[in-house]
Every structure is written in structure tokens, then in C-alpha cells.
Amino acid sequence: GTDTDVGKTVVTAALAACALDAGRRVAIYKPTQTGVAPGQAGDVQSIGDWLGNPPSLGLEEGVRLADPMAPVDAARHAGGARAAQALPVLGDHLRRVQELALENDVVIVEGAGGILVSLTLAGDTIVDVAGALGARLVVVTRPDLGTLNHTALTLEAALARGFADGVLVLGSFPNEPTALHEINRRNLCALAE
């Protein structure tokens, strides 16, 4: 995503639904879920509910942190340096995705916040996860004021890290778009070319 609350979870659900409809076994992995207390449904559980929790859909979180913050900050806030040290490292996330890939036809990894938000204490991001796995990026953006800059910066960062091919999805598009939303949609289409 270019930011938080841009529609990453809805897009993840849509991608999973397409793969499930094609008869594939699908796993969704969220390396870090923040802003959700123990016992509450997180993003992957919401996706499962939306899709009817079919047996061919696996749902998993790497780590859950209650504070609605960037993952490393949420870990530090919850329990100081010791809690941050307990965060999974890049290799943990890669191993889990590779294990899921052995059991499923499709594995979708949903990030937290923007593509450069640190998931690990070492500063590894969702782009690092995707790069290490040889995965394709699907970047989700929003239609509102400020999106052109956020999206251009996100695409530039992805390109600088070797992602020349990917998908840009406009999430959270309103049912009754304003002139700004329509203009931004046209500008985002041009940016994606």
C-alpha cells in the first residue's frame, strides 16, 4: 500500500476470491497485524469471514501487536526493547511463506501500512519480503487528495528496488466520486503506465 487504510485488505480478499474461484488452494499471510487486541478479528480473519472461510483458504499472521502503530513502534510501545527484540526477523517471514507455498497454489502476503514500513527490528519491509521471494508487487493506493505524491513516491521506491513490473490498484473508491476522485483516477492510470 501507499499508506494505511487504502484498501489493502479488500484487494487481498478480491485476489484470494479470484484464485479460489479458479479452484486453487490459497493462503493469506500477514507478517504483522497491528491495532488489534488478542481475540479480536484481524485483517486475515476479516477476509476469511467475507469469503465464507472455505476449506481451501488458509489464514495466518506472523505477529500481532495491539497498538495501531508501525510494527516496530507497536512492539517497543507494548513492551520496550525486549518486546521489539522478539519480533520475527526477515528469515522467519520468508520461511513461513515458503512453507505455505508448499501446501497452497497461491500465497498472498499483505503488508502493513506503506511498502517501506519496517516489519522487523533490522528495518526489513514488505518490499524486502517480496524481493527475497521473487514475488510481484500489487500496490494499493487511495483516490483522495495527496494520493498522487504518495503513489509516485511508492512506485519510485518500488522501481529503485527492482520491481519494474507490478500492479497498481485504486482502493477505497467512493460510490459517489467527486471531481477530485475522477481526476486522480485518470492521473493514477497515467502514473501506472
Side-chain angles (χ1 to χ4, degrees):
T2 57
D3 203 343
T4 193
D5 292 329
V6 295
K8 292 184 301 293
T9 302
V10 171
V11 169
T12 299
L15 292 171
C18 289
L20 290 166
D21 284 347
R24 297 193 170 131
R25 290 192 54 76
V26 178
I28 298 173
Y29 178 68
K30 185 158 180 100
T32 307
Q33 172 69 67
T34 62
V36 180
Q40 283 185 313
D43 293 342
V44 295
Q45 291 82 19
S46 293
I47 292 169
D49 290 345
W50 298 338
L51 300 181
N53 289 302
S56 55
L57 177 64
L59 306 167
E60 193 167 323
E61 296 171 351
V63 66
R64 177 179 282 222
L65 301 162
D67 290 308
M69 300 176 181
V72 173
D73 294 332
R76 285 183 175 139
H77 185 258
R82 183 171 291 157
Q85 292 289 341
L87 279 174
V89 297
L90 179 62
D92 296 330
H93 294 304
L94 299 178
R95 273 188 296 283
R96 190 59 194 134
V97 171
Q98 290 164 340
E99 290 166 0
L100 291 168
L102 293 174
E103 305 163 2
N104 297 277
D105 303 309
V106 176
V107 179
I108 303 169
V109 181
E110 181 184 340
I115 68 168
L116 297 182
V117 171
S118 294
L119 301 174
T120 70
L121 201 54
D124 300 301
T125 68
I126 199 68
V127 172
D128 296 314
V129 172
L133 294 169
R136 191 169 180 206
L137 282 183
V138 176
V139 175
V140 183
T141 191
R142 58 190 173 79
D144 305 308
L145 190 62
T147 194
L148 299 178
N149 183 57
H150 286 155
T151 306
L153 289 170
T154 298
L155 296 177
E156 184 176 301
L159 188 60
R161 286 160 177 80
F163 292 93
D165 183 36
V167 177
L168 179 64
V169 177
L170 181 55
S172 304
F173 201 78
N175 288 334
E176 297 181 20
T178 66
L180 171 69
H181 296 129
E182 294 294 352
I183 290 167
N184 279 346
R185 178 171 29 195
R186 285 194 300 274
N187 288 332
L188 290 165
C189 285
L191 243 173
E193 293 177 356

